[in-house]
Amino acid sequence: MSQDYTHLYREELRVDEDWSDKWDIFVSAFNGSDRVRRVFDKAKADKKFWIIHEEYRFDDHELPQAGGFVCEALNEEEMLRFWESELSASCFGVQGITVCLDATGFMRPQLMFLIKLLYAKGIRKFDVLYSEPQYYLDKDRTTFAGSHVDSVRQVAGFEGISDDTGSRDLLLIGAGYETHLISEVAEDKEESRKIVLLGLPSLRPDMYQQNAWRAWQASDAISVEESERYFAPAADVFATATVVSELVDREQKRGNVRHIYMAPLSTKAQAIGFALCFLSEFQGANISIIYPFTQTYEKETSAGLARIWKHTLEF
Amino acid sequence: METHFQAIREGQLKMETKSIAANPFSITKADDYNDRQIQQFWVDGPAADEPVQSVVQPKTAMPKYLLGAKGSGKTHLLRFHSFPLQKIRLEKRQGGLLSGVKEEGYLGIYIRCGGLNAGRFAGKRQPEDRWEGVFAYYLELWLTRHLLQVVQELEPELEKDDVERFVREAASLFDVSLQLDAFSLHTLIAAIESERRHLDVEVNNCVLSGSMNVQIKVAPGRLVFGIPKCLVERCPALREVTVVYLIDELENLSKYQQRIINSLVRDRELPTTFRIGARLYGIKTLETFSSEEENLPDSEFVRVVLDEEMRRATKRYDAFARSMLRKRLSEAAFGMTVEVDSLQRAFSVQDETWSSEVYLRMVKGEVSRERTHFRRFRQKLRRAGIQDEDGICEALAQFEYPLIEKASILAFYRRVRRGDEPKALAEDIREQAEQFMKGADKGRRGNRVRSIIEHNRTDLSAQLCRENRSRQYYLGLKTFIIMSGGLPRVLLTIMRSIFEWAIYNGEDPMQQDGISIDSQYRGVMEATEWFFSSMRKSGREGAAIQVATERLAQIFRESRFSDLPIECSLNTFSISLHQLSEEARYVLDLCEQRSFINEVSGGQKHRNSKEVQLKYQLHPMLCPRWQLPIGRRGAMVLSSELGNAVFEPGKQDVFAEELKQFRRARRFALKPREGELF
């Protein structure tokens, strides 16, 4: 039975106003974009942490003065080390601790693993921010991840059980701008049936067309018919989680699915939606989240700050 | 009412097949086929009358590795031998499934390594030796579950007592009792499945729990070999049957995981054997856990590289390819018989002989003097200080036959460098051209124009296309088969792309010349781009492969479109491996593993490992991307400098300089330049 997550709390935080929220812990991932830095500065918290992803390849002089936790590339399990070295003393066992993550600059696997980690450590309610850009610097040609995919694999903490009873796997692709990532994932699971989830409504008016165009360019790898395309709002974690839940429920009822792979390659908000759905419904099932891991990631891909969304995840 | 339903069923069937008929080549991958479709579209081959078993040989005890590039047919072959396909083949047969299996002589147990999601058996703060034990146990359970599910399908035809005895013995193979409620196949499978799921949970959760609560209840190989033994001993009907584990996608396993598989291969016991499918680059190790021994080809296993075999046996592959395509068309054409040469006739081709009007159209009927090749020729004569350029051009001109003009110019370039008097040489070449055109020189040797037309026609035609901004066409079924380079999926992809364009253009592929030159051109260009982007490896290495291939193709292109091509129809090179840097050798190996280049037999290998000279051809599917020829003729020797510049990614500047020198050397000049011969 699918779940509806849209009852969960979602709120727009005004860019030009003070925020009433104050958290005990605020975690963000440092990158070159203005929207990430502005939100970090604006957020009120007792303790703030920067995650420095090695994928961004910052030079020393580009790093925040206060420093940050350097997270080894391609390794989402590093969030365990972050927890042990920085968070556990503050968070573990503390009743009512308030935590906020700004997802905007995070690598998706690390973000999802951190969410799983908080969940596993008993923090079952926390806020996640996501800030929308005004536009992407190269529009439909914007690249985020490096062109070289190191490997396509399951994200730690989001592995499903293996089941060989069905006849075919299913791959649900949250399709973003990056044709090569879509192709890599689709080729890795080339034997699977594919369905594509596009971001609509998109973050900004013309981004849907850009997204759809880029996804079409991977059509040879995807081999998907028009009827196998679905939509979920690009900036809405809960609507995405709801759509994913519905799709998976439908496929499971159809039967004959051996394993469902989900690849959130679109916005961070959609990736969180995938993770939320997985943690709420799919743990222990024949469903996994996979991701094409790249060695590098662009430091700055967007301009401006359009809106900031706060989603309160509750498990 | 029955008639009404009959009509609905027929209508539905037509709708379904009509959607297939819209593009009969829309499905190119074995994985996109269900079992019935595998059987439906199966073609024995490579030769039409060659039994398929001769490739896989499921009954023979010696394990076999089926290697090959993406699209070489490994999965197709392995799935064809799997039990679900055996079942389909045998279902119409009288005598039952069991006797059919007995007659076929084997039970095919197919598994995909991709389904194991083997990447999760690593890291998570657990030592590798812990993972070795856990993964070996998991694999044991995985293979056993598949085998038992197949036995369960045969159960209705087996004696009850035999089955119970079999289950008891199988359960007793475990070092720790399984605690079965009853000795039935169902309970045994359920117990094994429960054990496997427990492992799944422990493996998946250990990253956060910090530990794995796994008790390994059976030694490696005990079930994999022991259960088939129990089966044939307890079930008389299966006494002579071989149990074949068809393990596909080996490349998805890590090195230590492949060692586990290798150990099973090495330690195999009758009646069990293995057929293992892997990409060419997929074998990470041949080591085993048996005293650090390595498995050796022709000792512990036989190694077959499918596309290599296909490329070697060109006639057989051609016959197989045509059968495969005809079968697709027949299935799509509502069961109508498609004639043997229907598909061949469907493709429009053009006359590419030297006298074809195509070339005159290319130069747009311009007078010889104004044609691009003559304007450039005059420039070069001037630069070389050769007098009477008008007289020479007039001598070489053949208005109706631009290709003869090109051949004549090339003949002139070659001879004038040896000191022949230019005007006299031009007259002599004219004489030879006219003799050739009349056929008056047949039986006689020494006609330079004839020799050039025979050897360099395709290169000269390509030059004419380029000079006149015409498309370089690759047309006709035979061309596409050659282009596929022994990879059936590549051929299907070419056909799919072409048919898509033909349908889009409103053409009828079932009519003679129904598929236009334009559709073929567009389809081929799409397919070549697809090959270039999808066959490479992911990551930095993929980029290195593409860079090296680009550079190699540029060299071939420079030669092809130069005044003095180094060899005719150049897409092949030979190289001394010891002259290459370590990095260059590594990238060259990557290019070969990913089928961007194919090793050609006939390279010179010497016992002294320092003198290994190998020959490689650029994969023909890539050639249209750079307007290169697809057939293989001459080969050029790559020097160490050029070889390293091509295959070392960081050597962009060095390569640019080498290319410049190469280009200069191929330009016509009266005196040979220093270093111009490579």
Side-chain angles (χ1 to χ4, degrees):
Chain A
M1 180 95 133
S2 68
Q3 284 190 30
D4 183 353
Y5 296 86
T6 54
H7 65 279
L8 292 172
Y9 197 65
R10 180 176 182 250
E11 176 193 1
E12 184 179 347
L13 300 180
R14 305 293 306 179
V15 176
D16 49 356
E17 289 174 11
D18 282 340
W19 301 340
S20 58
D21 294 281
K22 184 177 179 291
W23 299 280
D24 296 315
I25 304 280
F26 183 84
V27 183
S28 181
F30 186 77
N31 78 6
S33 66
D34 191 44
R35 54 188 169 130
V36 166
R37 299 180 202 208
R38 279 174 70 181
V39 168
F40 190 88
D41 290 339
K42 212 171 160 60
K44 288 182 276 198
D46 290 337
K47 289 183 185 171
K48 290 191 193 181
F49 299 94
W50 278 121
I51 303 285
I52 316 284
H53 288 298
E54 279 188 348
E55 287 90 337
Y56 284 127
R57 292 164 301 149
F58 285 114
D59 294 324
D60 287 343
H61 71 271
E62 294 175 299
L63 294 175
Q65 279 185 341
F69 177 85
V70 177
C71 184
E72 187 186 274
L74 309 176
N75 188 359
E76 65 276 34
E77 293 173 30
E78 281 275 88
M79 292 293 99
L80 258 176
R81 194 167 62 85
F82 172 63
W83 168 268
E84 286 159 1
S85 62
E86 307 287 353
L87 289 189
S88 67
S90 307
C91 292
F92 193 64
V94 176
Q95 292 290 335
I97 190 161
T98 54
V99 175
C100 181
L101 310 178
D102 181 2
T104 313
F106 265 92
M107 298 295 123
R108 285 170 191 75
Q110 282 81 337
L111 173 64
M112 289 189 282
F113 188 76
L114 184 55
I115 290 172
K116 165 99 187 211
L117 188 52
L118 293 175
Y119 170 92
K121 296 298 183 188
I123 301 170
R124 298 292 170 94
K125 182 179 175 181
F126 51 91
D127 293 330
V128 181
L129 306 187
Y130 176 67
S131 50
E132 296 179 22
Q134 290 281 4
Y135 57 90
Y136 290 116
L137 293 174
D138 291 325
K139 292 187 183 277
D140 65 286
R141 290 179 195 278
T142 304
T143 55
F144 303 86
S147 62
H148 315 305
V149 171
D150 196 82
S151 63
V152 178
R153 59 172 174 82
Q154 292 164 308
V155 176
F158 293 87
E159 300 119 321
I161 61 161
S162 292
D163 187 342
D164 240 18
T165 52
S167 66
R168 211 167 164 194
D169 295 334
L170 176 75
L171 173 61
L172 167 55
I173 305 174
Y177 271 37
E178 293 170 285
T179 311
H180 71 292
L181 293 186
I182 299 169
S183 295
E184 291 281 355
V185 157
E187 290 284 343
D188 188 78
K189 298 290 171 219
E190 65 174 340
E191 78 291 347
S192 62
R193 190 163 65 84
K194 280 110 181 150
I195 55 181
V196 172
L197 187 67
L198 292 170
L200 186 70
S202 52
L203 297 184
R204 309 252 41 88
D206 60 343
M207 286 180 182
Y208 169 70
Q209 282 83 353
Q210 294 167 17
N211 188 183
W213 165 243
R214 294 305 292 266
W216 179 85
Q217 289 181 314
S219 59
D220 183 78
I222 300 177
S223 306
V224 79
E225 303 300 320
E226 282 304 316
S227 57
E228 298 276 48
R229 292 188 174 208
Y230 301 90
F231 306 95
D236 192 332
V237 168
F238 303 132
T240 299
T242 303
V243 170
V244 169
S245 180
E246 283 170 0
L247 285 173
V248 168
D249 183 56
R250 187 198 70 179
E251 292 299 329
Q252 285 176 325
K253 279 179 178 144
R254 268 187 183 175
N256 220 18
V257 175
R258 201 162 44 201
H259 199 98
I260 298 177
Y261 295 97
M262 307 197 292
L265 307 180
S266 183
T267 60
K268 306 284 168 55
Q270 287 212 332
I272 299 164
F274 276 68
L276 171 62
C277 193
F278 183 96
L279 292 173
S280 301
E281 298 180 59
F282 303 148
Q283 293 195 81
N286 57 333
I287 300 172
S288 301
I289 293 182
I290 61 172
Y291 195 76
F293 286 76
T294 58
Q295 289 269 358
T296 62
Y297 211 87
E298 290 299 320
K299 292 174 214 174
E300 194 165 357
T301 55
S302 62
L305 173 54
R307 285 192 292 192
I308 305 166
W309 291 102
K310 182 184 82 170
H311 295 80
T312 302
L313 268 59
E314 289 184 68
F315 296 98
Chain B
M1 181 67 83
E2 183 56 38
T3 315
H4 176 68
F5 283 126
Q6 174 86 354
I8 292 172
R9 279 198 292 275
E10 281 173 350
Q12 281 176 335
L13 183 62
K14 276 197 175 149
M15 278 171 61
E16 283 163 17
T17 49
K18 196 171 183 175
S19 68
I20 296 168
N23 188 341
F25 304 104
S26 56
I27 296 178
T28 60
K29 302 178 205 167
D31 299 306
D32 289 340
Y33 274 150
N34 60 36
D35 291 330
R36 285 204 178 271
Q37 286 169 325
I38 294 263
Q39 180 64 33
Q40 181 187 359
F41 290 109
W42 184 261
V43 172
D44 280 333
D49 59 350
E50 184 176 326
V52 65
Q53 282 85 347
S54 67
V55 179
V56 175
Q57 294 176 314
K59 291 188 284 187
T60 58
M62 178 71 108
K64 221 178 219 192
Y65 280 67
L66 299 177
L67 307 180
K70 202 158 53 165
S72 56
K74 303 180 295 298
T75 297
H76 232 92
L77 272 169
L78 291 175
R79 280 184 68 188
F80 185 78
H81 290 87
S82 65
F83 180 75
L85 269 291
Q86 286 184 288
K87 207 171 143 195
I88 291 171
R89 283 196 292 281
L90 297 169
E91 67 190 2
K92 289 183 187 155
R93 192 185 168 281
Q94 284 186 355
L97 200 52
L98 198 61
S99 73
V101 165
K102 193 174 164 184
E103 201 175 296
E104 287 205 346
Y106 70 94
L107 263 182
I109 315 299
Y110 178 79
I111 72 147
R112 286 171 42 250
C113 291
L116 286 165
N117 289 306
R120 60 199 165 111
F121 294 87
K124 297 176 181 166
R125 299 181 167 186
Q126 304 292 322
E128 187 168 286
D129 59 356
R130 180 79 171 120
W131 284 121
E132 283 168 8
V134 170
F135 180 76
Y137 183 38
Y138 192 93
L139 182 67
E140 200 80 15
L141 297 174
W142 182 268
L143 289 171
T144 299
R145 201 275 304 268
H146 277 81
L147 170 58
L148 291 176
Q149 281 175 332
V150 167
V151 176
Q152 201 174 36
E153 297 225 38
L154 298 173
E155 191 180 5
E157 295 184 41
L158 296 171
E159 294 292 334
K160 252 192 178 159
D161 290 345
D162 288 342
V163 172
E164 192 186 313
R165 274 195 291 269
F166 161 70
V167 172
R168 280 181 189 276
E169 281 195 17
S172 72
L173 292 171
F174 282 83
D175 298 326
V176 175
S177 169
L178 278 184
Q179 309 285 343
L180 298 180
D181 293 334
F183 289 102
S184 69
L185 269 172
H186 175 78
T187 51
L188 179 60
I189 291 172
I192 286 173
E193 205 30 30
S194 166
E195 190 65 17
R196 193 183 63 78
R197 289 207 173 202
H198 168 72
L199 256 74
D200 267 331
V201 170
E202 290 298 316
V203 165
N204 292 350
N205 290 338
C206 71
V207 67
L208 289 172
S209 68
S211 64
M212 270 195 295
N213 179 19
V214 170
Q215 184 189 19
I216 294 172
K217 295 180 181 175
V218 72
R222 199 95 194 272
L223 301 180
V224 167
F225 303 128
I227 290 185
K229 246 190 219 170
C230 293
L231 184 66
V232 302
E233 279 168 11
R234 289 292 154 215
C235 303
L238 296 171
R239 203 138 281 168
E240 305 297 320
V241 164
T242 302
V243 173
V244 187
Y245 290 108
L246 305 157
I247 300 176
D248 200 5
E249 302 176 358
L250 189 75
E251 65 274 6
N252 287 324
L253 300 188
S254 66
K255 193 171 171 185
Y256 88 80
Q257 292 165 350
Q258 288 194 5
R259 274 185 83 182
I260 291 167
I261 298 275
N262 295 342
S263 300
L264 289 175
V265 168
R266 188 179 188 85
D267 299 336
R268 67 184 165 78
E269 299 168 20
L270 291 175
T272 304
T273 187
F274 298 90
R275 298 293 179 266
I276 298 175
R279 298 272 167 89
L280 206 50
Y281 56 82
I283 308 293
K284 296 180 177 109
T285 181
L286 291 175
E287 289 173 5
T288 69
F289 284 105
S290 308
S291 312
E292 310 300 320
E293 295 269 6
E294 240 187 40
N295 286 344
L296 297 173
D298 298 327
S299 178
E300 279 75 43
F301 66 95
V302 169
R303 182 181 182 269
V304 175
V305 183
L306 286 176
D307 47 314
E308 224 173 71
E309 295 290 321
M310 299 280 204
R311 280 193 298 277
R312 202 170 290 149
T314 49
K315 283 188 182 154
R316 287 162 70 203
Y317 177 63
D318 185 275
F320 164 74
R322 287 168 195 266
S323 299
M324 178 182 72
L325 297 179
R326 194 166 85 247
K327 184 126 193 193
R328 289 280 191 122
L329 275 183
S330 296
E331 294 293 337
F334 303 97
M336 290 189 306
T337 306
V338 173
E339 298 298 328
V340 169
D341 60 350
S342 291
L343 193 54
Q344 170 114 5
R345 286 188 281 118
F347 294 103
S348 303
V349 291
Q350 56 187 19
D351 177 11
E352 290 176 354
T353 57
W354 61 267
S355 54
S356 170
E357 285 178 5
V358 160
Y359 303 117
L360 201 55
R361 285 201 294 274
M362 241 184 245
V363 297
K364 299 173 187 68
E366 276 185 353
V367 296
S368 295
R369 197 195 148 70
E370 293 307 319
R371 293 170 184 173
T372 307
H373 51 273
F374 267 117
R375 281 193 274 111
R376 288 183 183 171
F377 180 54
R378 282 204 301 281
Q379 259 177 10
K380 288 178 197 285
L381 291 178
R382 264 181 254 129
R383 271 199 211 124
I386 293 174
Q387 306 294 323
D388 193 11
E389 59 185 71
D390 284 342
I392 290 168
C393 290
E394 207 178 309
L396 299 184
Q398 295 285 347
F399 173 77
E400 285 182 28
Y401 306 112
L403 205 67
I404 298 290
E405 290 179 340
K406 291 284 295 180
S408 301
I409 290 171
L410 179 56
F412 183 89
Y413 282 150
R414 283 179 177 171
R415 288 302 299 195
V416 81
R417 295 168 79 201
R418 298 183 193 193
D420 291 17
E421 198 282 314
K423 186 67 197 294
L425 175 60
E427 297 290 351
D428 186 46
I429 289 172
R430 183 185 185 84
E431 170 78 24
Q432 291 189 352
E434 282 173 356
Q435 296 255 334
F436 165 70
M437 287 189 289
K438 285 181 214 160
D441 65 324
K442 273 196 181 146
R444 281 183 264 154
R445 296 170 74 179
N447 187 321
R448 287 186 282 276
V449 173
R450 172 178 289 282
S451 174
I452 287 171
I453 291 289
E454 282 172 359
H455 290 97
N456 298 85
R457 182 182 55 77
T458 56
D459 290 333
L460 297 178
S461 168
Q463 287 184 8
L464 266 177
C465 287
R466 192 170 182 224
E467 286 159 3
N468 294 283
R469 302 199 180 167
S470 288
R471 282 175 177 173
Q472 173 78 42
Y473 288 118
Y474 298 83
L475 304 171
L477 184 58
K478 185 166 179 170
T479 297
F480 307 140
I481 293 174
I482 294 170
M483 218 182 269
S484 68
L487 297 173
R489 191 198 294 182
V490 171
L491 179 59
L492 290 172
T493 303
I494 297 169
M495 298 302 290
R496 182 189 68 187
S497 294
I498 291 173
F499 267 64
E500 267 173 14
W501 277 106
I503 291 163
Y504 178 76
N505 289 331
E507 295 160 11
D508 185 350
M510 298 310 294
Q511 294 295 322
Q512 168 129 15
D513 296 333
I515 303 175
S516 68
I517 285 170
D518 181 68
S519 295
Q520 292 175 68
Y521 173 79
R522 291 178 193 274
V524 164
M525 288 301 129
E526 255 178 28
T528 193
E529 279 307 316
W530 162 83
F531 190 98
F532 188 66
S533 58
S534 76
M535 294 292 280
R536 65 177 176 83
K537 187 178 165 57
S538 61
R540 260 196 208 108
E541 288 173 340
I545 291 168
Q546 288 188 321
V547 164
T549 309
E550 283 265 11
R551 291 178 186 172
L552 191 61
Q554 278 181 59
I555 298 284
F556 292 150
R557 237 178 102 84
E558 281 299 334
S559 173
R560 187 175 219 206
F561 295 110
S562 68
D563 299 331
L564 292 158
I566 205 170
E567 281 283 349
C568 57
S569 295
L570 185 62
N571 58 27
T572 306
F573 68 95
S574 63
I575 196 158
S576 288
L577 289 188
H578 84 274
Q579 289 181 331
L580 287 179
S581 67
E582 204 177 307
E583 189 185 5
R585 282 178 75 154
Y586 179 67
V587 174
L588 184 142
D589 281 342
L590 284 178
C591 290
E592 192 198 353
Q593 286 167 14
R594 295 289 168 156
S595 301
F596 276 58
I597 59 176
N598 295 321
E599 191 183 338
V600 173
S601 57
Q604 292 164 339
K605 284 187 193 181
H606 299 278
R607 283 196 178 273
N608 178 353
S609 63
K610 291 188 178 180
E611 291 294 333
V612 176
Q613 185 134 21
L614 299 179
K615 203 188 271 190
Y616 296 93
Q617 182 190 10
L618 185 65
H619 195 288
M621 190 65 246
L622 289 169
C623 294
R625 198 172 191 272
W626 294 282
Q627 295 90 50
L628 293 173
I630 57 167
R632 181 166 54 83
R633 296 187 79 171
M636 70 174 282
V637 176
L638 282 191
S639 67
S640 64
E641 292 82 11
L642 188 55
N644 285 322
V646 166
F647 288 104
E648 283 189 43
K651 290 215 162 157
Q652 180 54 42
D653 292 340
V654 175
F655 176 73
E657 187 53 38
E658 291 285 334
L659 187 66
K660 213 164 122 186
Q661 285 183 33
F662 184 83
R663 190 181 295 137
R664 203 179 299 137
R666 304 269 63 78
R667 230 177 264 154
F668 168 69
L670 213 46
K671 286 176 191 163
R673 295 187 182 86
E674 191 179 322
E676 70 177 339
L677 292 175
F678 280 77

